[in-house]
């Protein structure tokens, strides 16, 4: 059977199969090509099919979603009584890690296993502190160091293109008190700003769900309002980083259209903004600012 016919029989549209056959695209990239074709059209699909290394940097949503469905044990750490909302959030984290781990050449199952371990430790943290959004924290100004680098590496399944490095000024969230979940003063997450642009935000997997990122963004808003710098807080977010997208939408960020600049991959991303003053009133009850 011809390659195009095989692709069609596998559920890939005939037009996509034709492009793949024309460009001799490896079969494992067919689902990614189909998603490019659906979102950006034939021209972009043909261009990327001629550069399979670029297409291979992000796994298709279909491939990763299928593998998650095949492995129900990945969500077992949440327990049988987990809410539909909690399961959906956890699944989005698995999708994010599964898709973007391709950038580092990490095998899909290995990436999903690592993400599932993060979900497990987050569930353990929540149980120890009384639930999501219950871990007391303080947000202060700090300096990027080894613990911040470790946070970034654990938060992302790839190496993000950000400017913060050792010695950079950051906002950091640290545990306000000791508990079975965390030592007092331990780093929970951080945010690096470039003016009014949020360039780098990361939270340790163990503390995801404790509203750390919300506290950091509220602190940035407070500082920007106090210094009268600009009218908006802005950032960019990758299209497949659906956990972050859900957070930003809940906080009131306004989204532009999905775009495909050169610094992102084939799935693109969004430039988003929120007016200054809109976030500081959303400081979580478990967070205190010491700016």
């Amino acid at each position: 059977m011809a390659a195009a016919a095989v692709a069609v029989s596998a559920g890939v549209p005939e037009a996509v199969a034709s492009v793949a056959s024309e460009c001799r695209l490896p079969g494992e990239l067919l689902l990614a090509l189909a998603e490019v074709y659906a979102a950006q059209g034939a021209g972009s699909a043909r261009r990327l099919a001629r550069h399979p290394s670029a297409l291979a940097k992000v796994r298709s949503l279909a491939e990763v979603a299928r593998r998650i469905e095949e492995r129900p044990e990945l969500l077992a750490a949440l327990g049988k009584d987990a809410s539909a909302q909690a399961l959906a959030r956890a699944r989005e984290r698995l999708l994010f890690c599964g898709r973007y781990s391709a950038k580092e050449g990490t095998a899909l199952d290995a990436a999903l296993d690592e993400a599932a371990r993060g979900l497990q430790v987050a569930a353990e943290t929540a149980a120890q502190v009384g639930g999501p959004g219950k871990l007391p924290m303080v947000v202060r100004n700090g300096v990027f160091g080894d613990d911040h680098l470790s946070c970034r590496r654990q938060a992302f399944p790839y190496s993000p293109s950000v400017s913060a490095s050792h010695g950079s000024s950051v906002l950091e969230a640290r545990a306000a008190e000791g508990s079975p979940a965390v030592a007092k003063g331990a780093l929970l997450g951080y945010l690096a700003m470039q003016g009014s642009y949020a360039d780098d935000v990361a939270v340790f997997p163990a503390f995801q769900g404790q509203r750390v990122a919300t506290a950091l963004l509220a602190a940035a808003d407070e500082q920007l309002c106090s210094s009268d710098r600009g009218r908006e807080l802005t950032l960019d977010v990758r299209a497949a980083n659906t956990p972050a997208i859900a957070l930003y939408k809940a906080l009131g960020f306004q989204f532009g259209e999905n775009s495909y600049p050169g610094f992102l991959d084939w799935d693109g991303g969004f430039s988003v903004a929120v007016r200054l003053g809109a976030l500081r009133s959303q400081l979580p009850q478990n967070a205190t600012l010491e700016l």
Side-chain angles (χ1 to χ4, degrees):
M1 185 181 293
V6 172
V8 172
S9 69
V12 175
E14 185 174 357
V16 176
S18 177
V19 172
S21 178
E22 171 192 332
C23 299
R24 299 183 179 181
L25 186 74
E28 63 268 21
L29 297 177
L30 277 169
L31 292 175
L33 184 68
E35 292 178 12
V36 173
Y37 194 101
Q40 302 180 51
S44 293
R46 184 170 283 103
R47 174 176 53 81
L48 280 164
R50 292 179 179 133
H51 299 87
S53 61
L55 196 59
K57 287 184 178 180
V58 182
R59 293 187 179 93
S60 71
L61 173 62
E63 176 188 359
V64 180
R66 181 176 61 197
R67 189 58 180 148
I68 292 171
E69 292 303 314
E70 292 170 347
R71 298 191 57 195
E73 76 277 6
L74 292 167
L75 296 170
L78 276 69
K80 296 180 180 179
D81 298 327
S83 68
Q85 184 180 38
L87 287 169
R89 285 197 299 264
R91 184 175 180 275
E92 292 300 325
R93 174 69 181 173
L94 292 173
L95 286 168
F96 167 65
C97 292
R99 296 191 68 186
Y100 285 134
S101 59
K103 291 171 67 64
E104 299 296 318
T106 306
L108 177 54
D109 277 334
L112 293 176
D113 288 339
E114 183 64 23
R117 283 190 286 271
L119 295 174
Q120 181 174 357
V121 294
E124 292 169 355
T125 297
Q128 291 169 332
V129 301
K134 298 295 184 181
L135 177 62
M137 71 186 80
V138 58
V139 181
R140 304 185 178 104
N141 293 302
V143 177
F144 192 100
D146 289 344
D147 49 353
H148 302 80
L149 182 59
S150 177
C151 179
R152 179 192 290 162
R153 287 173 172 169
Q154 293 185 44
F156 292 93
Y158 61 95
S159 299
S161 299
V162 292
S163 60
S165 59
H166 283 73
S168 297
S169 297
V170 295
L171 285 164
E172 57 182 25
R174 293 188 178 271
E177 56 190 52
S179 73
V182 61
K184 181 178 180 179
L187 182 70
L188 310 178
Y190 73 90
L191 168 63
M193 300 290 297
Q194 290 186 351
S196 59
Y197 178 78
D199 180 58
D200 182 12
V201 57
V203 177
F204 277 110
F207 309 119
Q208 292 176 6
Q210 294 301 323
R211 307 205 68 194
V212 178
T214 299
L216 290 165
L217 288 165
D221 189 24
E222 180 68 37
Q223 284 194 329
L224 290 169
C225 288
S226 299
S227 60
D228 194 26
R229 283 185 283 172
R231 295 183 178 180
E232 293 181 322
L233 189 156
T234 63
L235 55 85
D236 290 296
V237 58
R238 291 176 179 271
N241 190 353
T242 49
I245 288 172
L247 170 65
Y248 300 146
K249 287 184 175 179
L251 292 175
F253 280 83
Q254 298 300 305
F255 280 65
E257 295 294 323
N258 191 2
S259 60
Y260 306 92
F263 64 87
L264 294 178
D265 297 303
W266 62 258
D267 59 322
F270 301 93
S271 293
V272 305
V274 67
R275 64 174 178 81
L276 291 188
L279 298 178
R280 58 182 178 176
S281 62
Q282 300 186 61
L283 182 72
Q285 292 184 350
N286 59 317
T288 302
L289 303 184
E290 293 185 0
L291 305 175

